[in-house]
Amino acid sequence: MKDINWDALSLDELKDIQKKATKAIESFEARKRKEALAAVEAKAAEMGFSLSELTGGTKTKSTKSAPKYCHPENPAKTWTGKGRQPNWVKEALANGKTLEDLLIVK
């Protein structure tokens, strides 16, 4: 970097340099942050994980839904009716049962 005679610069020139320097610093930090994140994600993937698995991700607290269906022979196996159907539900439906047959009676 060339030597600058700071005393010879006007206030506007100094403020312009300050503004450009601040922008350059922020850009540098953003690049370094991206590089660090990419390196950490690559290392986690190399070890068979995603970064969110290791850091807890951005999970939000959710309330558990009450089970709505249960396995006809094993009441410990339940399903809320949300998300993918468990294999036991798929099997029961394939064997002619309906979801109403699997409802938990209260």
Side-chain angles (χ1 to χ4, degrees), residues 3-22:
D3 287 334
I4 297 175
N5 183 359
W6 298 102
D7 293 330
L9 297 175
S10 70
L11 181 60
D12 287 340
E13 290 171 323
L14 290 170
K15 286 184 177 183
D16 185 52
I17 291 170
Q18 181 182 28
K19 189 168 128 182
K20 288 178 181 175
T22 300

Side-chain angles (χ1 to χ4, degrees), residues 13-99:
E13 290 171 323
L14 290 170
K15 286 184 177 183
D16 185 52
I17 291 170
Q18 181 182 28
K19 189 168 128 182
K20 288 178 181 175
T22 300
K23 196 177 226 181
I25 290 169
E26 289 170 356
S27 174
F28 178 84
E29 289 173 341
R31 281 193 316 274
K32 288 299 180 180
R33 196 175 299 112
K34 261 186 181 176
E35 290 172 11
L37 183 59
V40 172
E41 285 175 336
K43 186 62 178 180
E46 180 184 311
M47 300 182 86
F49 297 98
S50 71
L51 189 55
S52 63
E53 286 177 310
L54 296 176
T55 60
T58 56
K59 294 181 182 177
T60 57
K61 288 188 177 184
S62 61
T63 58
K64 270 197 157 185
S65 298
K68 188 172 179 180
Y69 305 98
C70 72
H71 191 283
E73 293 150 13
N74 183 354
K77 292 183 180 181
T78 60
W79 179 49
T80 62
K82 297 179 182 178
R84 290 186 180 175
Q85 291 179 336
N87 288 335
W88 62 266
V89 172
K90 290 178 186 175
E91 290 170 8
L93 294 175
N95 290 330
K97 292 210 182 257
T98 64
L99 285 177

